[in-house]
Amino acid sequence: MFTYAPSSRARLSFSAGLVAASLLLLLASLVTGVQAEQNQRSAIVLTIEGAIGPATMDYVARAIEQAEQEQAALLVIRMDTPGGLMESMRMIIRDILGSSVPVATYVTPAGARAASAGTYILYGSHIAAMTPATHLGSATPVQMGGMPGTDNPEPAPDADAEADADADADADESEDKPRRGSSAMERKVLEDSVAYIRSLAERHGRNADWAEEAVREAVNLSAQQALERNVVDVVATDVNDLLQQINGRNVVMASGDQILETANLLIKQVDPNWRTRLLSVITNPNIAFLLMIIGFYGIIFELSNPGELFPGILGAVCLILALFAFQVLSVNYAGLALIMLGLALIIAEAFAPSFGILGVSGTLAFIFGSVILMDGTHQQVSLPMIGGIAAVAAGFMLWTLTRVVSLRHQPAISGIDKMVGQDAVAADDFQPWTDATQGRYRGHVQVSGERWNAVADQPVHAGQPVLIEKVEGLLLHLKPTNDKRDP
């Protein structure tokens, strides 16, 4: 009887086989998981926080494009916004309406809002949803141009017509009639906004009357009130709850009606890329304003000191970025022109002192231009920043003025005025000056290596030191001293 003992080589081959089989099983499971994930439909989720602007528009457009490429079942926009630019809002809604993927706008988290432009986007989405303890509304368009807080009423043809108009306005207010606008421009913008939001409400079967009220009267609703008044479709606690509630709903797409299949979707969060982040930074009104100031002064310093390169390069880059930001922002070009004029006048004060006239005018133009620069809602330049930069510019102007005044009181360091009171040495013996008053003598002196014609009231000998009392053209008036030195 004998026993079989496997060799070490056989044991090693058996272990290697087990390892290879384990790796194959692991690889197969990974491939199966990836295929299952690819086969499972997804919901693309993006987050909008803060004011609606060009960066938001770019973010939404890219997310919709990605959702269409991946054939996602739904695109969810998590939103918390106070409003923003009307042009960016309209572009976002246009992309949503033209999307082949249903879009659900979800006001979240608790405490969030969809005010102003956010209300329009909510109405333009295929699904409108809110989290409890959120609200929407205040959709009245504001600050459509000019100085904030001002309007441009049309002039009345005569005094009677003006009185009639005032009476009608009083009657309207007493009867609580809807807001119509106090000027032609405000009425045009208001009626356009009303028609726009009503068309969005009618497209998706939502409350159009309340939408008009939100535009005309800036009213607001909480999440539960919005659900009860058919302003939103769903009140959900989170994205998963939203997906479960809207499963099987019918939505109106550009291609026709579509039944949503949102149960058990794979949620994929899409964050802004570097381009969107950069655009978000430079299109901030305060950053764009600061870039313009840095760019302007950088170019000025480069022109004042040619060859430095760094101020010119930095100024050019900042100015180009600022101009790009102003291109996509709602900018009042009269305000931009006033800012450039003001900066130019402040710089001119430094090169051509006018005792404050140019500087003060430039500072005022800069301040007024900065205040009216931005027209869009929630897109104004910060007043403290305007005041700070204006104070720096005024300080620079004041320093220039004080510097000029102090230089005027200092003795001359070059030119003819410097020669008065300077020592000189007679180059030769002075001779009586027969062409002048009796008793005066004429000759030549050496001053700072130069030979000058000179005249004195008494005889002067070669090598004798003299003091220059006055300069008349090319003639020096001298006063002899007692010291003697070589000419």
Side-chain angles (χ1 to χ4, degrees):
M1 182 176 180
F2 64 94
T3 59
Y4 172 74
S7 65
S8 59
R9 179 176 297 179
R11 289 196 299 269
L12 186 61
S13 299
F14 180 73
S15 300
L18 286 177
V19 171
S22 300
L23 290 176
L24 287 175
L25 288 174
L26 178 61
L27 181 61
S29 63
L30 289 175
V31 171
T32 303
V34 170
Q35 289 178 345
E37 183 175 331
Q38 290 178 345
N39 293 331
Q40 183 180 7
R41 302 187 71 190
S42 62
I44 304 294
V45 179
L46 62 153
T47 303
I48 295 176
E49 293 180 344
I52 303 296
T56 314
M57 177 183 66
D58 179 80
Y59 181 28
V60 173
R62 290 178 178 274
I64 290 177
E65 182 179 356
Q66 177 180 342
E68 291 176 340
Q69 290 176 352
E70 297 180 4
Q71 297 182 349
L74 185 70
L75 175 68
V76 180
I77 301 176
R78 303 174 76 252
M79 185 167 63
D80 178 12
T81 179
L85 294 176
M86 179 175 290
E87 184 63 27
S88 299
M89 172 203 76
R90 286 179 177 264
M91 294 297 292
I92 290 173
I93 295 175
R94 189 194 68 176
D95 291 339
I96 290 175
L97 294 178
S99 172
S100 60
V101 176
V103 177
T105 298
Y106 181 35
V107 185
T108 191
R113 57 179 170 170
S116 192
T119 301
Y120 290 85
I121 295 174
L122 201 64
Y123 262 89
S125 302
H126 304 103
I127 294 291
M130 300 178 72
T131 292
T134 57
H135 68 277
L136 81 162
S138 298
T140 305
V142 295
Q143 290 185 344
M144 301 311 297
M147 183 73 72
T150 62
D151 52 22
N152 302 300
E154 291 183 316
D158 51 44
D160 293 335
E162 184 176 356
D164 293 339
D166 292 339
D168 292 340
D170 293 339
D172 288 346
E173 293 178 0
S174 63
E175 295 174 7
D176 294 328
K177 290 186 177 180
R179 178 182 175 184
R180 300 295 181 186
S182 59
S183 68
M185 179 57 70
E186 186 177 348
R187 285 194 295 273
K188 289 168 62 177
V189 173
L190 192 63
E191 295 302 329
D192 176 73
S193 300
V194 167
Y196 185 54
I197 200 168
R198 286 192 71 94
S199 67
L200 297 175
E202 292 167 358
R203 178 184 178 89
H204 297 294
R206 300 192 183 110
N207 192 331
D209 293 334
W210 183 88
E212 179 175 349
E213 189 178 359
V215 175
R216 293 193 185 277
E217 305 299 335
V219 296
N220 292 268
L221 287 178
S222 65
Q224 192 59 40
Q225 290 173 331
L227 181 64
E228 293 172 356
R229 298 188 62 172
N230 191 30
V231 173
V232 298
D233 306 309
V234 175
V235 173
T237 56
D238 54 30
V239 173
N240 288 320
D241 184 26
L242 170 66
L243 297 181
Q244 294 299 324
Q245 290 194 48
I246 65 176
N247 184 46
R249 280 180 174 264
N250 182 71
V251 293
V252 180
M253 304 294 295
S255 57
D257 292 352
Q258 178 177 332
I259 303 297
L260 296 180
E261 299 177 1
T262 59
N264 302 320
L265 291 180
L266 176 66
I267 298 176
K268 295 176 63 176
Q269 178 70 39
V270 176
D271 297 321
N273 58 15
W274 68 268
R275 182 182 185 277
T276 302
R277 291 192 181 97
L278 176 62
L279 190 62
S280 177
V281 171
I282 66 174
T283 54
N284 181 298
N286 296 311
I287 299 299
F289 182 75
L290 193 59
L291 286 173
M292 180 187 65
I293 301 300
I294 295 174
F296 183 86
Y297 278 108
I299 297 296
I300 292 297
F301 291 154
E302 180 65 30
L303 294 177
S304 303
N305 302 277
E308 290 292 335
L309 295 182
F310 177 73
I313 294 174
L314 178 64
V317 172
C318 291
L319 199 57
I320 290 173
L321 290 176
L323 293 176
F324 172 76
F326 289 148
Q327 179 188 5
V328 296
L329 287 170
S330 179
V331 174
N332 187 324
Y333 290 100
L336 183 61
L338 280 174
I339 291 175
M340 302 305 291
L341 175 63
L343 292 174
L345 290 177
I346 293 172
I347 296 297
E349 180 68 44
F351 291 98
S354 62
F355 298 98
I357 297 176
L358 291 177
V360 171
S361 301
T363 303
L364 292 176
F366 174 81
I367 293 174
F368 287 135
S370 301
V371 170
I372 68 174
L373 178 64
M374 298 293 176
D375 286 340
T377 309
H378 304 287
Q379 293 289 317
Q380 294 79 31
V381 179
S382 171
L383 291 179
M385 174 174 285
I386 295 174
I389 295 178
V392 171
F396 173 72
M397 177 192 67
L398 183 62
W399 176 84
T400 302
L401 289 176
T402 55
R403 184 68 176 167
V404 169
V405 172
S406 64
L407 289 176
R408 287 181 178 272
H409 291 86
Q410 293 182 358
I413 60 174
S414 63
I416 293 177
D417 293 336
K418 178 190 176 184
M419 299 179 67
V420 177
Q422 186 175 347
D423 293 332
V425 179
D428 49 30
D429 294 331
F430 280 35
Q431 301 299 323
W433 190 8
T434 57
D435 295 339
T437 305
Q438 188 68 23
R440 304 189 73 182
Y441 299 86
R442 185 172 184 175
H444 300 89
V445 294
Q446 292 281 31
V447 183
S448 300
E450 299 176 343
R451 186 180 177 90
W452 284 75
N453 295 323
V455 62
D457 293 335
Q458 53 186 293
V460 177
H461 303 285
Q464 181 178 349
V466 292
L467 185 68
I468 302 173
E469 288 188 315
K470 185 172 63 172
V471 180
E472 288 185 351
L474 299 178
L475 184 65
L476 304 181
H477 292 258
L478 306 178
K479 178 181 180 182
T481 61
N482 296 325
D483 296 335
K484 184 174 181 178
R485 66 188 73 171
D486 294 333

